[in-house]
Amino acid sequence: MSELMTPAPTVIVHAAGSTWLKWHRGRRRHADFEFDPQRIREGMRLGASVEIDLRRHAGGGFAVLHDETLDRATSGSGPVGLASAETLRALHLRDNGGAATDVGVALLGDLCRDLAAAAIGEGALLQLDLKEDNSTLSDSDICAFARDVAPVQRHMILSGGDALAIRRLAEALPQLKTGHDPCHFGAREALEVSGDDSGFVGRALAEAGTARMIYLDIRLILDALARDFDMIAAFHAAGCRVDAYTVKALAPGTVDLCRRLMALGVDQITTDDPEGLFAALA
């Protein structure tokens, strides 16, 4: 069937409400390789929730990459932070098997310009997941981010584990949504030891500030449930939405896990296979 005849894998409507299926690293299908600009634009056109990662590069600005180095995901090598925009534009992404493709590495500025000139579907939201902490951000990075994102800011949400870095980048963009991931910097592992679920929620909300989307590792949600604590309900009570991450390939138990999360009212599930999960759940 054609894309127009097949429902786009974006939202599941169920008894407890609705849950978005977020396209992790821009993937629509599990076979997709990460951060393909064409696939990212497709998701935005279809009104999907799409996630990409950001790494700063030399000269000020950001590349759409997850790793600190270029070696795994691109045809280049060395730290992303030492590569210029010109160097990055000359590189190609690798597929899931490690072979170089003919698809170039995306820079945030180039992607935003393409999106500003394209049709964006209703409800589409591009998550910019910052893989840097505040200490690595320069003034030129912050200026470049504001310049690049400004034309499409109402279609974007900036997230990360370092709340100060998020606030600095978002300061000049009043329509940009923000989110917070409290599971980094050893916090999830510390919670496994302490079992202090209420304390974790309180600290996360204090760090989040005005951010209204909270990103939670699914393992943390399940661990808390084993202690009779509903992490999703706790954040909902504070007026926040919850994204649960990450469902990778469909496997035995995946559908039951997602149905359990949806019954708890999770607002979004991050997945490497939105299309497959949508078909299994719908």
Side-chain angles (χ1 to χ4, degrees):
M1 295 178 68
S2 71
E3 176 187 286
L4 293 177
M5 297 174 64
T6 305
T10 56
V11 184
I12 294 289
V13 178
H14 50 87
S18 60
T19 299
W20 287 79
L21 300 182
K22 188 178 73 188
W23 298 22
H24 184 225
R25 302 189 189 179
R27 292 185 176 101
R28 175 173 178 157
R29 304 180 181 97
H30 188 258
D32 292 340
F33 56 87
E34 60 190 34
F35 308 132
D36 181 345
Q38 181 176 341
R39 191 62 101 193
I40 295 165
R41 294 192 297 269
E42 174 189 335
M44 294 299 284
R45 177 173 55 82
L46 293 174
S49 175
V50 182
E51 183 256 8
I52 61 174
D53 297 321
L54 298 183
R55 284 283 180 185
R56 62 176 301 278
H57 61 69
F62 294 87
V64 180
L65 292 168
H66 175 276
D67 298 354
E68 190 173 355
T69 61
L70 295 163
D71 304 68
R72 178 191 64 85
T74 83
S75 57
S77 62
V80 179
L82 296 182
S84 67
E86 293 73 19
T87 296
L88 291 165
R89 287 192 180 100
L91 300 180
H92 292 87
L93 295 172
R94 296 188 183 277
D95 64 19
N96 294 333
T101 70
D102 60 358
V103 178
V105 172
L107 301 186
L108 178 61
D110 297 341
L111 180 63
C112 288
R113 279 190 292 274
D114 289 345
L115 290 174
I120 296 179
E122 183 178 356
L125 191 64
L126 184 62
Q127 179 189 346
L128 309 175
D129 197 26
L130 183 67
K131 296 304 180 185
E132 305 284 349
D133 58 46
N134 183 60
S135 66
T136 66
L137 295 180
S138 67
D139 289 342
S140 59
D141 294 328
I142 293 169
C143 290
F145 181 86
R147 177 197 67 223
D148 293 340
V149 173
V152 286
Q153 59 181 293
R154 68 188 183 93
H155 299 291
M156 299 197 170
I157 180 168
L158 175 64
S159 66
D162 189 327
L164 179 56
I166 301 305
R167 286 195 289 273
R168 288 181 67 199
L169 287 171
E171 188 173 11
L173 299 166
Q175 292 180 294
L176 178 68
K177 302 172 183 66
T178 57
H180 179 58
D181 185 340
C183 302
H184 291 296
F185 310 118
R188 184 181 67 82
E189 293 78 6
L191 181 57
E192 285 182 335
V193 174
S194 72
D196 182 12
D197 298 302
S198 295
F200 174 86
V201 172
R203 288 188 295 275
L205 291 171
E207 293 168 357
T210 59
R212 294 295 90 188
M213 176 66 88
I214 303 296
Y215 300 90
L216 296 178
D217 189 314
I218 290 173
R219 294 170 294 180
L220 183 146
I221 296 171
L222 297 179
D223 288 347
L225 284 172
R227 296 187 290 267
D228 295 321
F229 187 90
D230 187 339
M231 196 72 71
I232 295 171
F235 282 108
H236 280 174
C240 295
R241 302 176 73 234
V242 175
D243 173 300
Y245 67 85
T246 301
V247 173
K248 298 184 179 179
L250 293 182
T254 298
V255 172
D256 287 344
L257 168 64
C258 291
R259 292 198 186 282
R260 186 180 185 192
L261 291 170
M262 292 189 300
L264 291 167
V266 75
D267 302 283
Q268 186 163 266
I269 295 173
T270 297
T271 174
D272 286 337
D273 190 6
E275 189 165 89
L277 187 58
F278 182 89
L281 290 170

